[in-house]
Amino acid sequence: MTESMLDYTLATIEGYESYWSFTKGNKGYSGVVTYCRVAPLHAQEGFGVSEFDQEGRCVMTDHGSFVLFNVYFPNSGAGDDRMKYKVAFHEAFQAEVEKLLHQGRNVIVTGDVNIAHSELDVWHPAKFMAKQSAGCSTQERNWIDQFLECGFKDAYRELHPNDKVFSWWDQRNVRARICNEGWRIDYFFVSSSFFGQVVESDILTKIVGSDHCPITLVLKEQPPLPPHDLPPNTGRLRAPLPIPTTNSQLSLLKFFPGKTSTATESAQPVHSSCEPQSSSSMSAATPQETSLPISPLTAPPVPPPLPPPLPSLAAATSTQKRPRPSEMSKDKRSNKRLKQTPVNGERSIASFFKSPQSDKQHSNNR
């Protein structure tokens, strides 16, 4: 998405700082955001390679005890050119991450990796892996092996080694979600040196609203960050003119605890420092003041009144004896049948298409 497409309710969640990476090219093509309850020590859009950063695929935030990469990895399904692009993206990204590991930093990588790593991660492995389908090719799956070998663990698979649970279902297949014909392509990769801090990782398959479902990672209590200034020039959303709200993104607010605030006509000043906070999970700690308030959500429209009920069919039933066909002339026979009401509580379908004047006349004739 582009910044001009941003909805106010998405941009300003009360108690959270938001850090965005927007696509510089095709609208709606890609884009990621990281919401932080405690402002990070540092934040960065992309990882320094313009070829990849222009698609809005990565936000890096430094949380002291770990560095978080929120990444939307490329899809290889658009042909050989995109596969080459994806391979180059993997190499550049892994090189950046390995620099941090060599510096002794703990790293967490999360996002849509667009690869089903093992047979447990796709509903029909024989079909997709045998055909080398995009996202199931040997080349792509081997890259995850290589990435894990450089010092990472797949959090969900480490804690649930035999579970076949999916995080994505193809929307082009109308039965995919119903029949659970999905893939697991969303991950938390945690550096091995930091994996002892992981409490749980889960896939929330019951939450709908997208072709993906949320995944979670819970960490042990982390040391509070020291007082620090907000990261400058990081892609963090600043205060534009108020953006109209819609109800289309209301479901996202359920993931953020806290109550909404009343919107103001102009943006409020941004606080310049963050006090020490304690955290109990990856997105933990006491909410901080946000740079923009949330606009009040509009009330849902009042549904139109229901139409009046149809008259009782029993009341429309006539007890008048039908004349025999021989008693009517041939010319009047078909016309008479339209005016009669069938017996046994039935109602002629023709009566539903008559004008009110015709209905009144028909009632008087009976």
Side-chain angles (χ1 to χ4, degrees), residues 2 7 46 52 67 129 145 147 159 164 220 232 270 283 301 306 333 351:
T2 62
D7 185 272
F52 307 122
V67 175
M129 292 181 177
D145 290 332
F147 187 75
L159 299 174
K164 195 166 186 175
K220 295 178 181 178
V270 180
S283 61
L306 296 175
R333 191 175 301 163
S351 65

Side-chain angles (χ1 to χ4, degrees), residues 5-248:
M5 300 166 61
L6 193 61
D7 185 272
Y8 207 71
T9 57
L10 286 175
T12 55
I13 304 297
E14 184 179 16
Y16 290 82
E17 299 285 348
S18 59
Y19 298 86
W20 298 78
S21 180
F22 298 101
T23 177
K24 312 303 187 295
N26 298 332
K27 294 182 178 180
Y29 185 71
S30 54
V32 295
V33 58
T34 300
Y35 293 92
C36 304
R37 293 183 68 180
V38 178
L41 298 173
H42 175 70
Q44 175 180 309
E45 181 181 9
F47 46 89
V49 181
S50 59
E51 178 186 2
F52 307 122
D53 294 347
Q54 67 180 354
E55 290 194 359
R57 293 189 173 275
C58 178
V59 169
M60 185 275 286
T61 48
D62 186 343
H63 300 272
S65 59
F66 63 92
V67 175
L68 175 67
F69 284 91
N70 181 5
V71 189
Y72 177 28
F73 287 80
N75 191 312
S76 62
D80 292 340
D81 289 343
R82 290 305 290 180
M83 174 61 88
K84 293 178 181 177
Y85 181 90
K86 184 172 187 175
V87 170
F89 185 98
H90 288 165
E91 293 174 351
F93 175 73
Q94 184 171 339
E96 182 67 22
V97 169
E98 287 182 342
K99 290 179 183 178
L100 293 172
L101 293 179
H102 294 156
Q103 295 171 10
R105 298 302 306 274
N106 300 312
V107 178
I108 298 175
V109 178
T110 187
D112 178 0
V113 181
N114 267 314
I115 301 173
H117 182 211
S118 72
E119 292 187 355
L120 289 174
D121 299 323
V122 60
W123 72 276
H124 198 324
K127 174 181 178 181
F128 295 105
M129 292 181 177
K131 293 183 178 180
Q132 296 291 293
S133 301
C136 276
S137 69
T138 302
Q139 183 177 14
E140 293 170 288
R141 292 187 292 115
N142 284 348
W143 177 78
I144 292 187
D145 290 332
Q146 176 186 330
F147 187 75
L148 295 177
E149 288 173 1
C150 81
F152 284 91
K153 293 182 181 294
D154 175 352
Y156 182 82
R157 186 56 66 213
E158 288 289 327
L159 299 174
H160 308 274
N162 301 313
D163 291 356
K164 195 166 186 175
V165 181
F166 308 126
S167 65
W168 174 81
W169 299 263
D170 189 351
Q171 288 186 318
R172 295 169 296 182
N173 180 0
V174 295
R175 55 173 279 171
R177 192 73 182 256
I178 298 173
C179 300
N180 198 29
E181 296 176 353
W183 299 31
R184 186 176 76 100
I185 59 176
D186 303 275
Y187 298 84
F188 276 104
F189 297 134
V190 182
S191 56
S192 302
S193 60
F194 193 64
F195 195 77
Q197 298 295 312
V198 174
V199 176
E200 179 57 285
S201 183
D202 202 0
I203 302 175
L204 308 183
T205 57
K206 294 183 179 180
I207 296 180
V208 297
S210 166
D211 54 344
H212 292 255
C213 71
I215 62 174
T216 65
L217 181 73
V218 180
L219 301 179
K220 295 178 181 178
E221 190 84 8
Q222 297 301 301
L225 296 179
H228 59 282
D229 293 336
L230 290 174
N233 303 323
T234 58
R236 176 176 179 272
L237 189 72
R238 294 295 176 178
L241 293 175
I243 304 172
T245 60
T246 67
N247 285 329
S248 62

Side-chain angles (χ1 to χ4, degrees), residues 267-340:
Q268 301 297 320
V270 180
H271 59 289
S272 60
S273 64
C274 301
E275 296 300 325
Q277 301 290 346
S278 62
S279 61
S280 58
S281 68
M282 222 181 67
S283 61
T286 306
Q288 296 287 324
E289 179 185 357
T290 52
S291 58
L292 294 173
I294 300 176
S295 294
L297 296 173
T298 57
V302 178
L306 296 175
L310 293 173
S312 172
L313 295 180
T317 304
S318 173
T319 58
Q320 182 177 357
K321 183 178 179 182
R322 292 185 180 183
R324 296 181 179 180
S326 58
E327 297 174 2
M328 297 186 292
S329 66
K330 184 176 181 181
D331 296 337
K332 296 181 180 180
R333 191 175 301 163
S334 61
N335 195 27
K336 185 68 175 178
R337 287 173 181 164
L338 290 176
K339 295 181 180 180
Q340 291 174 344

